[in-house]
């Protein structure tokens, strides 16, 4: 069906995902083995997407070689991005948006990021957070933000980014 290649903007990392209708084709297996024999340094994933719909990726992805996720950097914060994740396609523009949000955020009072996703704005705000300006996100963002925050030395301490149920 296709090949999706993700190239990081803020690091030198990349990741490739081969998208197939099924993984039982012997020719596909042979071609993949030949590729892996000569390109062990390229992180490669296989995504099975049997449906004929408007989605790029199907529900099942497995790592063939390389790391599970690639690291990208936006506005000084590292994010670990899975091969099928919805992440910023224009990291340069995302960095500019982060700068605008940081400039507009109040110096005191709470910052609330309701549609946090991977934490693009919340993690950046949390890096600049103080006791008088905590950052709060929705609990549904916790897994994606935890992935972003697991990059050592680049993300804010987790206590600066509180997660609570919004009602």
């Amino acid at each position: 069906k296709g090949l999706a290649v993700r190239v990081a903007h803020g690091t030198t990392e990349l990741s490739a995902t081969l998208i197939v209708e099924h993984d039982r084709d012997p020719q596909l297996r042979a071609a993949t083995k030949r590729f892996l024999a000569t390109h062990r340094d390229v992180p490669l994933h296989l995504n099975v997407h049997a449906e004929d719909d408007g989605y790029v990726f199907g529900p099942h992805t497995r790592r063939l070689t390389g790391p599970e996720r690639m690291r990208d950097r936006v506005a000084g914060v590292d994010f670990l991005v899975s091969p099928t994740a919805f992440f910023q396609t224009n990291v340069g523009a995302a960095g500019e948006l982060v700068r605008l949000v940081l400039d507009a955020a109040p110096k005191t009072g709470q910052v609330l990021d309701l549609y946090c996703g991977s934490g693009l704005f919340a993690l950046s705000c949390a890096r600049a957070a103080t006791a008088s300006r905590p950052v709060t996100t929705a609990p549904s963002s916790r897994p994606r933000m935890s992935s972003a925050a697991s990059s050592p030395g680049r993300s804010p301490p987790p206590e600066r980014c509180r997660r609570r149920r919004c009602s």
Side-chain angles (χ1 to χ4, degrees):
K1 282 185 123 174
L3 179 68
V5 178
R6 188 183 297 260
V7 179
H9 177 78
T11 68
T12 60
E13 297 185 22
L14 65 88
S15 178
T17 304
L18 183 60
I19 305 154
V20 298
E21 287 185 26
H22 60 82
D23 60 355
R24 298 176 304 274
D25 184 343
Q27 289 180 320
L28 173 66
R29 286 178 184 247
T32 303
K33 284 182 182 180
R34 283 193 308 273
F35 176 83
L36 292 174
T38 58
H39 297 87
R40 292 302 277 174
D41 58 331
V42 176
L44 183 64
H45 296 80
L46 182 71
N47 176 267
V48 179
H49 184 55
E51 303 299 319
D52 186 20
D53 56 22
Y55 296 102
V56 175
F57 298 110
H60 306 289
T61 302
R62 71 175 184 263
R63 180 180 61 86
L64 301 177
T65 186
E68 196 69 41
R69 296 174 290 188
M70 67 167 245
R71 185 175 50 90
D72 204 348
R73 185 172 301 128
V74 180
V77 177
D78 282 5
F79 292 86
L80 294 175
V81 183
S82 68
T84 60
F86 176 81
F87 191 67
Q88 306 303 314
T89 56
N90 187 331
V91 176
E96 181 63 17
L97 288 173
V98 167
R99 186 189 66 74
L100 292 170
V101 167
L102 289 173
D103 288 349
K107 301 303 176 217
T108 60
Q110 183 171 328
V111 174
L112 182 62
D113 190 345
L114 295 177
Y115 300 97
C116 180
S118 62
L120 179 68
F121 299 115
L123 290 171
S124 297
C125 285
R127 286 186 75 200
T130 63
S132 61
R133 188 179 82 176
V135 178
T136 302
T137 64
S140 61
S141 298
R142 186 174 308 199
R144 290 180 298 279
M145 286 185 60
S146 294
S147 292
S150 59
S151 183
R154 295 284 184 198
S155 299
E159 66 272 6
R160 288 193 186 167
C161 219
R162 301 183 305 196
R163 293 151 183 112
R164 63 170 70 143
R165 188 169 310 281
C166 300
S167 50

